Amino acid sequence: MFLDDLRAAVDASVIVTDPDVLAAHSRDEADLCESGQPLVLVRPKNTADVSMAVKVAAEHGVPVVPQGARTGLAGGANAVDGCMLLSTAAMNEIREIDPVNRLAVVQPGVVNAEISRAAAKHGLRYAPDPGSFESSTIGGNVATNAGGMCCVKYGVTDGYVLGLQVVLANGEVMRCGRRTAKGVAGYDLTRLFTGSEGTLGVITEITVRLTPIPRQALTLAAVFPSTTAAGRAVTAITAAGAQPSLLELIDQVHLKAIEDHRPMGLDTEAAAMLLAACDTGIESDLAEIERLCEESGATEVYRATDAAEAEALLAARRLAYPAMEKLGTIIVDDIAVPRDRLAEALDGVAAASRRNGVTIGVIAHAGDGNLHPNIVVDGQDPSSVVAGRTAFDEIMELALALGGTCSGEHGVGLLKRDWLAEEADAVNMRVHRAVKDALDPAGILNPGKVLRARREIV
Amino acid sequence: MFLDDLRAAVDASVIVTDPDVLAAHSRDEADLCESGQPLVLVRPKNTADVSMAVKVAAEHGVPVVPQGARTGLAGGANAVDGCMLLSTAAMNEIREIDPVNRLAVVQPGVVNAEISRAAAKHGLRYAPDPGSFESSTIGGNVATNAGGMCCVKYGVTDGYVLGLQVVLANGEVMRCGRRTAKGVAGYDLTRLFTGSEGTLGVITEITVRLTPIPRQALTLAAVFPSTTAAGRAVTAITAAGAQPSLLELIDQVHLKAIEDHRPMGLDTEAAAMLLAACDTGIESDLAEIERLCEESGATEVYRATDAAEAEALLAARRLAYPAMEKLGTIIVDDIAVPRDRLAEALDGVAAASRRNGVTIGVIAHAGDGNLHPNIVVDGQDPSSVVAGRTAFDEIMELALALGGTCSGEHGVGLLKRDWLAEEADAVNMRVHRAVKDALDPAGILNPGKVLRARREIV
């Protein structure tokens, strides 16, 4: 009945019920999050079909789970039983690049990096650069308010979303935001939908802010005998007022995994490596960071001599996930702590690793205090999984105890919804619920993500 | 009865019923917006009293109008009949400056510029700089999502609000946001309350992001024979990928008014003057802007030779409002248009001036496409007021026709609520209403601001 109505309402070629395809689309990259059995997958090519599909789902009370490239790391795109998966991956047109107003209008299925490539001929880029920037879609980036490496200087996705077209829970199409550089008329609905992980609406078009391509970055790698010393360097760099365009930490577990995955001469004896870059065009800015690394105990500081060397250093960082995946099933954590608690956070993660007998490697957008403790478990061994989950929870507790957050950039999804409820106060959670109920009274949009579904609470 | 309960609930010393004081607090600086008769003014010194006052008001169905320094320009702080004015001006403590995490925790009554002064010893500042930065309070800045001159490079208030404490419509106290550099857990309630003009809650504490004080800016003034040429220069500067830290336009009406108000040798024959600054520390960046001004037809470009000269040029810009106020009653407009429509917007404003026989001066945060057409009327002459209001509406229509917005930085308040409803689509306005109803079901918070009150609609 629902499927009949759906077929009557949208282009039949975008409706998929093949069980293999459904299974392949039933989850994102959060390995240990549960996923349900979808009823159907819809891959619309335009907003009208998204609107119609949601309208039909709403009429039948069928849950709607929006999806992009399913590169998410918190289970936000995972199927719930009986749902309609609504993939916007096929809506992948760059509609407009406007160099004078420095904006692009894109469909949600456009891959992040494609926007910068299209803007480059105008000397512009789309700044936020999640690790998945060559595979994740802008729709998912906006839905999760994705971060990345350049965010330490340039901020995360929400700083680059000017306007949205959104399909609401009843299928209505709304526009919010603007094409102007500034604008404060009305509530900031654009930011309300950004990061709402498909629980308030389905994003069908995005107007993003483009910014001038910065000057060529000068890049260094500094090697530290302890993670504490590396953490100290980060604090010193921040306290000195430096503004690196990148400040990443790679710990020994990751250095070894990367070197095993693709040998590139990394110092696998080092406790941690910091990567730092400055794109101010002023050489002394990087020299100051170099000095602060040395004063904080770096045993070696290596400056990239050209862009190719700098890119090679970043490539090592980008290999962190694929390299770690060779070690086992990874539970990806994503805490952020106040920058001056970084060293404590690193110590606490090491303690959680020892206590639970699981390997935990840490990579960090260190300049933002955003750590990814990556917990390695044997997915086939229940006791290993339990140990990993215990470590995960301990790290969450640690983050909150240090005044931090359960999600620096990956979002809440399924993985952290109970931790969100710990982090936010009770009044705040009631406001969350009031907003959700106001915009999705029947609770059909991505139910159980970010907030527990009503039926789970009762 | 209400007043009795109020006196029983909050510190009596913060309750004011003196008619003269009430009258003095009944409006902000939007001269021609209506204001009602307040019942009482409450000036709490702490969040507990704000909470209690709102709770008592809610019990009695008394409207609550939050106020800061009442420097607003859209009537957002104007009294409605029978309301409780709730001023947070006496909550003016800077609670904390944290230089490593680059944040400050402040009460809403702290004056904008005080934050930067307190942070300066750590090499930090609070970036957003509305024209009123020496008088407006941070609470009002956040409530209106205020802009300023540095926003062309550094963005507006919402980029600098990390977290809030808010008293909700029922008196409950909520915290949202964070102290970390990054964090995406849950809906972005911080941004939802930012710019909501007191219609969703009363802001009682703000955690703001501080940023390093930039390098000394290099500043120039360029004089143009036509506003069109000045607009062309702005487009050329933006299209070239330049990133000025300030790019302001002052038209002839303002140049003359400022020079009359305080003689400083401004070229009052010029059609427009552009002020531009670069704080990259790279001299060639300003030289490029100078070249682009000359190519666009500047008849003279003058570079400030030191910080004092640069400050003198900015001081001229900051005198624009006081200078204009000498000419009559000012209806302050605040449109933003896509940057490449700036010249058209300037032409359109000039046409509205001619058509209605009213003087309109324009100052603009030109680099953002944010224009302030300041309409001079004789407040005692009804026909002059009508002509001014007609010009105001024509300028609003012009802004929307050019793809712009009715408010670049001042907010909607009373002045532009019907224009917001023009600018946003019907679905968007229903979402606005749904959010308002969800958070303030009885409609007691700043009723009639941003959105018409329900009783006005029916």
Side-chain angles (χ1 to χ4, degrees):
Chain A
M1 177 62 178
F2 163 62
L3 285 179
D4 292 340
D5 286 357
L6 186 64
R7 287 195 186 97
V10 308
D11 178 357
S13 71
V14 306
I15 299 174
V16 183
T17 52
D18 178 326
D20 291 343
V21 180
L22 292 186
H25 281 75
S26 69
R27 51 168 44 261
D28 65 17
E29 295 183 8
D31 283 335
L32 294 178
C33 283
E34 68 204 33
S35 65
Q37 291 285 346
L39 184 66
V40 61
L41 164 67
V42 184
R43 289 191 282 210
K45 296 200 175 68
N46 54 58
T47 300
D49 270 0
V50 175
S51 167
M52 287 308 297
V54 172
K55 195 181 298 255
V56 174
E59 283 163 9
H60 289 269
V62 169
V64 177
V65 176
Q67 298 189 325
R70 288 173 291 108
T71 52
L73 292 162
N78 283 12
V80 301
D81 284 335
C83 75
M84 175 176 77
L85 298 174
L86 182 52
S87 169
T88 55
M91 296 171 70
N92 59 1
E93 249 182 61
I94 297 178
R95 290 273 171 90
E96 182 187 354
I97 302 269
D98 177 340
V100 176
N101 292 307
R102 293 183 182 166
L103 60 83
V105 179
V106 300
Q107 289 190 304
V110 174
V111 168
N112 174 305
E114 293 295 338
I115 305 174
S116 289
R117 274 196 279 273
K121 65 164 108 31
H122 305 289
L124 298 170
R125 66 167 181 171
Y126 173 71
D129 58 345
S132 60
F133 75 131
E134 288 287 6
S135 55
S136 64
T137 58
I138 186 70
N141 289 181
V142 173
T144 55
N145 196 9
M149 291 205 277
C150 79
C151 301
V152 64
K153 179 165 180 181
Y154 294 101
V156 303
T157 301
D158 61 32
Y160 296 86
V161 183
L162 288 172
L164 297 173
Q165 185 193 57
V166 181
V167 171
L168 300 177
N170 61 1
E172 286 187 312
V173 181
M174 177 192 81
R175 284 195 176 274
C176 57
R178 54 200 159 81
R179 287 173 64 96
T180 52
K182 276 163 93 175
V184 300
Y187 301 155
D188 193 347
L189 301 182
T190 305
R191 258 67 172 262
L192 179 61
F193 283 95
T194 300
S196 66
E197 305 189 34
T199 64
L200 302 180
V202 183
I203 294 165
T204 48
E205 191 180 275
I206 305 144
T207 303
V208 297
R209 195 161 69 89
L210 304 174
T211 47
I213 296 171
R215 290 181 160 87
Q216 176 63 47
L218 304 172
T219 305
L220 64 75
V223 164
F224 291 86
S226 70
T227 53
T228 306
R232 210 159 49 214
V234 171
T235 302
I237 290 165
T238 307
Q243 292 202 286
S245 54
L246 174 143
L247 187 53
E248 298 283 314
L249 180 146
I250 307 175
D251 79 347
Q252 191 177 47
V253 174
H254 281 87
L255 289 172
K256 285 182 172 163
I258 296 165
E259 190 65 21
D260 284 347
H261 178 66
R262 192 170 308 167
M264 51 175 71
L266 296 174
D267 180 354
T268 56
E269 298 302 305
M273 185 168 89
L274 278 185
L275 291 179
C278 279
D279 62 6
T280 56
I282 296 177
E283 194 279 340
S284 58
D285 287 343
L286 190 71
E288 190 192 4
I289 291 176
E290 180 171 6
R291 182 180 62 76
L292 292 166
C293 285
E294 282 165 350
E295 284 179 12
S296 303
T299 51
E300 199 192 335
V301 180
Y302 175 80
R303 278 214 214 185
T305 53
D306 57 26
E309 271 194 15
E311 190 42 50
L313 290 172
L314 299 196
R317 164 64 184 79
R318 291 211 184 90
L319 286 172
Y321 279 113
M324 287 292 282
E325 279 174 353
K326 289 203 169 169
L327 302 186
T329 298
I330 308 296
I331 305 177
V332 177
D333 215 328
D334 169 43
I335 60 174
V337 297
R339 278 179 281 232
D340 59 350
R341 313 300 291 269
L342 187 62
E344 285 167 86
L346 290 165
D347 289 348
V349 170
S353 167
R354 285 191 304 272
R355 220 163 24 235
N356 296 287
V358 287
T359 298
I360 309 180
V362 177
I363 49 170
H365 305 303
D368 282 325
N370 183 194
L371 285 72
H372 298 307
N374 290 320
I375 305 166
V376 185
V377 300
D378 176 353
Q380 306 307 313
D381 173 359
S383 72
S384 169
V385 171
V386 167
R389 283 193 182 277
T390 305
F392 178 87
D393 284 338
E394 288 176 8
I395 291 169
M396 287 290 170
E397 231 160 24
L398 169 72
L400 300 192
L402 293 174
T405 174
C406 68
S407 182
E409 58 178 11
H410 293 168
V412 172
L414 286 171
L415 192 62
K416 286 168 253 172
R417 55 190 185 170
D418 293 337
W419 285 104
L420 170 63
E422 283 291 313
E423 181 177 332
D425 64 41
V427 181
N428 179 307
M429 289 310 293
R430 283 202 291 279
V431 172
H432 266 82
R433 178 63 65 187
V435 170
K436 169 73 173 171
D437 288 348
L439 298 190
D440 179 20
I444 68 156
L445 288 177
N446 218 4
K449 316 297 172 65
V450 184
L451 305 173
R452 282 194 176 270
R454 284 223 172 269
R455 64 172 181 282
E456 296 177 272
I457 303 171
V458 191
Chain B
M1 177 66 175
F2 163 63
L3 286 179
D4 293 340
D5 286 358
L6 186 64
R7 289 197 184 96
V10 308
D11 178 357
S13 72
V14 307
I15 299 173
V16 183
T17 52
D18 178 325
D20 292 342
V21 181
L22 292 187
H25 280 76
S26 69
R27 51 167 46 260
D28 65 17
E29 295 183 9
D31 283 334
L32 293 179
C33 284
E34 68 204 33
S35 64
Q37 291 286 346
L39 184 66
V40 61
L41 164 68
V42 185
R43 289 191 282 209
K45 296 201 175 67
N46 54 56
T47 300
D49 270 359
V50 175
S51 166
M52 287 309 297
V54 172
K55 197 180 299 253
V56 173
E59 284 163 8
H60 290 268
V62 169
V64 178
V65 176
Q67 297 189 328
R70 289 171 291 109
T71 53
L73 293 163
N78 283 13
V80 301
D81 282 336
C83 76
M84 174 176 78
L85 297 174
L86 181 52
S87 169
T88 55
M91 296 173 69
N92 59 0
E93 249 182 62
I94 295 177
R95 290 273 169 90
E96 181 187 355
I97 302 268
D98 177 340
V100 176
N101 293 306
R102 293 183 183 166
L103 59 84
V105 180
V106 299
Q107 288 190 307
V110 174
V111 168
N112 173 306
E114 293 295 337
I115 305 174
S116 290
R117 275 196 277 274
K121 64 164 112 29
H122 305 289
L124 298 170
R125 68 166 180 173
Y126 172 71
D129 58 346
S132 59
F133 75 131
E134 288 288 5
S135 55
S136 64
T137 58
I138 185 72
N141 288 181
V142 174
T144 55
N145 196 11
M149 290 204 276
C150 79
C151 300
V152 63
K153 179 166 179 181
Y154 294 101
V156 302
T157 300
D158 62 30
Y160 297 85
V161 183
L162 288 171
L164 297 172
Q165 185 192 57
V166 181
V167 171
L168 300 177
N170 61 1
E172 287 188 311
V173 182
M174 178 192 81
R175 283 195 177 274
C176 57
R178 53 198 161 80
R179 288 173 64 96
T180 53
K182 276 162 94 175
V184 299
Y187 300 154
D188 193 346
L189 300 182
T190 305
R191 255 71 170 261
L192 179 61
F193 283 95
T194 300
S196 66
E197 305 188 34
T199 64
L200 301 179
V202 183
I203 294 166
T204 48
E205 191 180 274
I206 304 143
T207 303
V208 297
R209 193 161 71 88
L210 303 174
T211 47
I213 296 171
R215 290 180 160 89
Q216 175 63 48
L218 305 172
T219 304
L220 64 76
V223 164
F224 292 85
S226 70
T227 53
T228 306
R232 210 160 49 215
V234 171
T235 302
I237 290 165
T238 307
Q243 292 202 287
S245 54
L246 174 143
L247 187 54
E248 298 285 313
L249 179 147
I250 307 175
D251 79 347
Q252 191 177 46
V253 174
H254 280 87
L255 288 171
K256 285 182 172 163
I258 296 165
E259 191 65 20
D260 283 348
H261 178 65
R262 193 169 308 167
M264 50 175 71
L266 296 175
D267 180 354
T268 56
E269 298 302 307
M273 184 169 88
L274 278 186
L275 291 179
C278 280
D279 63 5
T280 55
I282 295 177
E283 195 278 341
S284 59
D285 287 343
L286 191 71
E288 191 191 4
I289 290 175
E290 182 171 6
R291 183 179 61 75
L292 292 166
C293 285
E294 283 165 351
E295 285 179 12
S296 303
T299 51
E300 199 194 336
V301 181
Y302 175 78
R303 280 213 212 184
T305 53
D306 57 27
E309 272 193 12
E311 189 42 50
L313 290 173
L314 299 195
R317 164 63 183 80
R318 291 209 185 90
L319 286 173
Y321 279 114
M324 287 292 282
E325 279 174 355
K326 290 202 170 171
L327 302 187
T329 298
I330 307 295
I331 306 177
V332 178
D333 215 328
D334 169 44
I335 60 174
V337 297
R339 279 179 281 231
D340 58 351
R341 313 298 292 270
L342 187 60
E344 284 166 88
L346 290 165
D347 288 348
V349 170
S353 168
R354 285 191 305 271
R355 223 168 13 239
N356 296 287
V358 286
T359 298
I360 308 180
V362 177
I363 48 170
H365 305 303
D368 282 326
N370 183 192
L371 285 73
H372 297 308
N374 291 320
I375 305 165
V376 186
V377 299
D378 176 352
Q380 305 308 312
D381 173 358
S383 72
S384 171
V385 171
V386 167
R389 283 193 182 277
T390 305
F392 178 87
D393 285 338
E394 288 177 7
I395 291 169
M396 287 292 170
E397 231 161 24
L398 169 72
L400 300 191
L402 294 174
T405 174
C406 68
S407 182
E409 58 178 11
H410 293 169
V412 172
L414 286 172
L415 192 61
K416 285 169 256 172
R417 54 190 186 170
D418 293 337
W419 286 104
L420 170 63
E422 283 289 314
E423 179 177 334
D425 62 41
V427 181
N428 179 308
M429 289 309 293
R430 283 203 290 279
V431 171
H432 266 83
R433 178 63 64 186
V435 169
K436 168 73 173 172
D437 288 348
L439 298 189
D440 179 20
I444 68 157
L445 288 177
N446 217 4
K449 316 297 172 68
V450 184
L451 306 174
R452 282 194 175 269
R454 282 222 173 269
R455 66 173 178 282
E456 295 177 271
I457 304 173
V458 192

